[in-house]
Amino acid sequence: MLTKVSELSRRIYLSKCILNKRKELVDLGMNYGLLNRKTIQCSQDLDKLINLYMQGSKITEYKFYYIL
């Protein structure tokens, strides 16, 4: 049970991080332009967060199918 709770809290935390990073990316893009180093770095950071979130989804799906 503890594993499910920690997985859920991890996904919630990552979701909040993704939303915050997305807002930051929009602000940077508007203020500095899309080709600015800060904007590009923020975009790459957002990609990493999304990848972490999606990896968690795949693990959960795998466990679900494994149980069946």
Side-chain angles (χ1 to χ4, degrees), residues 15-68:
S15 294
K16 290 178 182 180
C17 290
I18 289 169
L19 289 175
N20 290 335
K21 189 58 73 172
R22 194 176 287 162
K23 290 176 186 176
E24 181 184 351
L25 179 59
V26 170
D27 289 342
L28 287 171
M30 295 294 287
N31 292 324
Y32 296 103
L34 298 178
L35 299 178
N36 184 277
R37 185 179 339 151
K38 293 178 184 180
T39 308
I40 292 170
Q41 181 61 54
C42 185
S43 176
Q44 291 172 346
D45 293 343
L46 178 59
D47 289 343
K48 290 175 186 175
L49 288 171
I50 292 171
N51 285 334
L52 283 173
Y53 184 88
M54 295 305 293
Q55 285 175 358
S57 296
K58 290 177 184 175
I59 292 169
T60 304
E61 288 173 15
Y62 176 76
K63 287 180 182 176
F64 176 75
Y65 288 118
Y66 182 76
I67 292 170
L68 290 176

Side-chain angles (χ1 to χ4, degrees), residues 3-21:
T3 305
K4 290 182 181 180
V5 172
S6 61
E7 285 179 30
L8 180 61
S9 61
R10 180 179 180 267
R11 290 180 61 106
I12 291 170
Y13 175 75
L14 282 172
S15 294
K16 290 178 182 180
C17 290
I18 289 169
L19 289 175
N20 290 335
K21 189 58 73 172

